[in-house]
Amino acid sequence: MKKTVILLSGGLDSTTCLAIAKSQGFECYALTFNYAQKHNIELTAAKNIAASYGVKDHKIIDLPIGQFGGSALTDVAISVPDYNPAGGIPVTYVPARNTIFLAIALGWAEVLGAEDIFIGASFVDYSGYPDCRPEYFAAFQKLATLATKTGVEGTTFKIHTPILNLSKAETIQLGVTLGVDYATTITCYQADTNGLACGRCDSCELRKKGFAEAGVVDPTKYNN
């Protein structure tokens, strides 16, 4: 059985990726990050989801990037805004987050002897983050081979982005066919300690829109 590292936030997209990897027969190792995100209740969701999928190992890694601030997700001086479809890179962007996450996933994958890494990024219904673009993942995959002993010795790492070109609705429909229980996932950027979603941020609006377009009842619990 091939091993893979799954970046698991506890949200809708990453949980769908875990289900996809399991359906493809991978032995899954889940990796979650505590980076001082305001919605750190997602760590509990990730822990429960990893257990329900019977992953081989689940690591929750503490990262100090929240000390830098500069993002509404980590900086107490910056409020999480309501959804704004105007475009541009929003203040919820966390500088270099996917690069940092993938670099750590790559290190673990090399130790495990895994050639595959899954990340639940989407380029269709997303918030405009630069590290969710197809060209970014192609570049990182090239870096992964150049920067590792495993790569130099002839193994090519594969960065799997199976929902990259799917809308949120398509992702949900796929997840439903794989048996994903979306009620266990937390997507909101400012979910409270009980896991209740705000219903107003970018992530909530994209999630609500996705369930509506997918024709699936939204199981999310909102605080208003």
Side-chain angles (χ1 to χ4, degrees):
M1 185 180 291
K2 292 185 67 177
K3 299 176 181 178
T4 185
V5 175
I6 313 283
L7 292 179
L8 180 66
S9 69
L12 183 156
D13 293 335
S14 66
T15 303
T16 304
C17 270
L18 174 56
I20 291 170
K22 290 283 287 188
S23 73
Q24 293 177 0
F26 283 96
E27 181 178 74
C28 297
Y29 293 75
L31 185 58
T32 302
F33 296 100
N34 177 12
Y35 58 99
Q37 63 269 48
K38 295 174 182 176
H39 54 302
N40 63 4
I41 188 63
E42 70 176 6
L43 302 177
T44 300
K47 184 177 180 179
N48 293 336
I49 291 164
S52 70
Y53 275 90
V55 302
K56 188 70 173 180
D57 192 8
H58 179 212
K59 294 189 184 300
I60 299 178
I61 305 295
D62 292 330
L63 287 178
I65 59 174
Q67 296 178 20
F68 302 150
S71 168
L73 299 192
T74 59
D75 194 328
V76 295
I78 306 175
S79 298
V80 175
D82 290 348
Y83 176 63
N84 182 358
I89 300 174
V91 294
T92 51
Y93 163 68
V94 180
R97 181 175 62 179
N98 279 351
T99 302
I100 296 167
F101 287 3
L102 282 171
I104 294 174
L106 178 62
W108 195 22
E110 189 169 27
V111 170
L112 292 170
E115 301 172 11
D116 302 89
I117 297 171
F118 278 76
I119 181 171
S122 173
F123 190 60
V124 180
D125 287 334
Y126 82 125
S127 298
Y129 302 149
D131 51 2
C132 284
R133 296 175 296 166
E135 55 268 37
Y136 165 76
F137 293 110
F140 192 92
Q141 183 168 298
K142 183 177 180 181
L143 178 149
T145 300
L146 290 172
T148 57
K149 175 178 181 288
T150 301
V152 170
E153 291 178 347
T155 297
T156 300
F157 286 97
K158 172 68 175 177
I159 307 298
H160 295 260
T161 54
I163 66 169
L164 190 65
N165 296 309
L166 300 183
S167 68
K168 195 68 71 180
E170 291 169 330
T171 297
I172 291 167
Q173 289 169 338
L174 174 59
V176 168
T177 67
L178 296 173
V180 175
D181 180 4
Y182 286 117
T184 65
T185 65
I186 293 178
T187 302
C188 178
Y189 287 152
Q190 47 189 355
D192 66 19
T193 54
N194 294 314
L196 299 180
C198 73
R200 303 184 309 275
C201 66
D202 279 11
S203 192
C204 278
E205 288 294 340
L206 291 172
R207 181 177 170 120
K208 288 191 293 184
K209 175 175 175 284
F211 277 109
E213 292 179 351
V216 176
V217 175
D218 182 358
T220 309
K221 295 179 180 179
Y222 296 98
N223 64 11
N224 52 19

